[in-house]
């Protein structure tokens, strides 16, 4: 389940950087307020509203929200041919040679047709997880009056949230946080490398302009092959690959070796190879059960699958779910990373845990806040 959640979050992030051809975006380049339908109370049929099609591979729909030095606010929508605009000069923003002094500017980008009607959904979703973490951390620290609040918020350039309130107030606080595109790119690359997705990491790094010179891609590919073998139920193949890559790993980690052999037993039961399953359990797993109570209990549950005509529908059917293979694959992947003195858990995984931790702390204080109820979509409950 955890792996599925992380994969879904990754797909959201990947979607944010996905490039499409013939992208159609709303266009509105007038800075006159409330006359064109261009502002946040968006009117598709407003005057001077049109659509712009971009056919380059880096095309994005953009929405720029700014404020002039005289206090007037404006919203501009258009298509960018070269990706999400960064480091824009004031004159470029209005599309002519007139210099306009801008006091504040926020840029939102997305990659779906006509998605810049409102706040960019793709951009907002890709920022949601980290922004909520930052806001929640700031809120918890401020409310707890901990001494570390100022240093943590300062390192992330956060505006502390000193109270909880409605969903709109919470989202307003989140919108005040600033996240660089490069930070999101590094988060995605870190996830891909840690989880062993070599090809995806190479493709994304090329699109994002990130070098992987310090990454051992051969090792990443080896971990991916081991993961795929386990997730496909080919446990013996996985054991051979592990022994080839890290010969002493399974000898030094008894629990890891047990779980791999337990999974092979499950695969034999899945194939209805009853005699072979009994022989394998006696030959390769009995020794674990003699020394460790927990392992004996796990082995008993696994052997109990043999009693049922439909083991998948039994009380221990969860052992035969593909999610159980993924759990074992994650354990092996983490152990290999630790063996190589590398980070064993992706930053994205730790961010998810941080969200859960902070929300739990806020719940225990009986504080009112919009709870994150769906991580893949970044959906918040109304408060």
């Amino acid at each position: 389940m955890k792996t599925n959640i992380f994969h879904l979050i990754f797909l959201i992030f990947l979607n944010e950087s996905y490039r499409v051809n013939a992208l159609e975006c709303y266009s509105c380049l007038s800075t006159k307020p409330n006359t064109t339908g261009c502002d946040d109370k968006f009117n598709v049929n407003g005057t001077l509203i049109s659509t712009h099609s971009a056919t380059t591979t880096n095309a994005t729909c953009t929405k720029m929200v700014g404020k002039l030095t005289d206090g007037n606010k404006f919203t501009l929508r258009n298509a960018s041919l070269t990706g999400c605009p960064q480091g824009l000069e004031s004159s470029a923003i209005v599309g002519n040679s007139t210099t306009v002094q801008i006091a504040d500017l926020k840029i939102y980008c997305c990659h779906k047709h006509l998605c810049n009607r409102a706040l960019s959904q793709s951009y907002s979703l890709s920022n949601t997880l980290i922004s909520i973490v930052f806001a929640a951390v700031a809120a918890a620290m401020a409310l707890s009056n901990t001494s570390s609040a100022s240093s943590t918020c300062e390192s992330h350039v956060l505006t502390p949230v000193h109270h909880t309130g409605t969903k709109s107030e919470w989202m307003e606080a989140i919108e005040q946080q600033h996240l660089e595109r490069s930070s999101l790119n590094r988060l995605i690359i870190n996830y891909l490398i840690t989880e062993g997705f070599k090809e995806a990491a190479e493709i994304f790094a090329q699109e994002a302009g990130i070098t992987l010179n310090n990454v051992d891609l051969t090792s990443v590919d080896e971990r991916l092959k081991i993961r795929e073998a386990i997730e496909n139920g080919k446990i013996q193949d996985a054991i051979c690959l592990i022994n080839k890559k890290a010969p002493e790993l399974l000898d030094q980690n008894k629990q890891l070796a047990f779980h791999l052999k337990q999974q092979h037993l499950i695969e034999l039961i899945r194939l209805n190879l009853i005699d072979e399953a009994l022989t394998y359990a006696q030959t390769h797993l009995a020794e674990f059960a003699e020394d460790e109570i927990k392992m004996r209990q796990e082995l008993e549950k696994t052997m109990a699958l043999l009693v049922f005509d439909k083991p998948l529908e039994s009380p221990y059917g969860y052992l035969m779910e593909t999610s159980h293979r993924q759990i074992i694959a994650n354990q092996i992947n983490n152990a290999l990373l630790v063996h190589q003195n590398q980070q064993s858990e992706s930053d994205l995984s730790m961010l998810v845990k941080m969200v859960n931790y902070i929300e739990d702390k806020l719940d225990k204080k009986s504080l009112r806040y919009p709870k994150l109820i769906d991580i893949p979509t970044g959906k918040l409950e109304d408060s």
Side-chain angles (χ1 to χ4, degrees), residues 15-118:
N15 180 63
E16 187 273 334
S17 62
Y18 183 67
R19 305 294 188 259
V20 294
N21 291 324
L23 186 68
E24 191 173 28
C25 308
Y26 284 110
S27 178
C28 176
L29 300 179
S30 173
T31 59
K32 295 180 181 179
N34 303 320
T35 59
T36 67
C38 188
D39 61 352
D40 282 341
K41 294 180 180 179
F42 190 66
N43 177 13
V44 175
N45 298 316
T47 59
L48 299 183
I49 296 295
S50 60
T51 58
H52 184 103
S53 294
T55 57
T56 63
T57 57
N58 290 325
T60 65
C61 293
T62 65
K63 173 188 172 183
M64 303 182 191
V65 180
K67 183 170 68 175
L68 304 180
T69 52
D70 61 8
N72 286 328
K73 297 180 180 180
F74 64 88
T75 304
L76 307 177
R77 291 175 170 81
N78 203 8
S80 170
L81 303 180
T82 57
C84 194
Q86 297 185 23
L88 290 177
E89 298 295 334
S90 296
S91 59
I93 294 173
V94 296
N96 56 42
S97 60
T98 304
T99 299
V100 177
Q101 295 299 319
I102 295 177
D104 186 32
L105 176 66
K106 293 182 180 179
I107 302 174
Y108 304 91
C109 297
C110 57
H111 306 273
K112 296 181 180 179
H113 291 297
L114 304 177
C115 59
N116 59 340
R117 172 177 178 174

Side-chain angles (χ1 to χ4, degrees), residues 138-146 161-164 362 365 367:
M141 288 181 173
L143 290 164
S144 301
N145 293 318
T146 61
V161 182
H162 296 286
H163 67 282
T164 57
L362 293 174
K365 291 179 177 290
L367 295 172

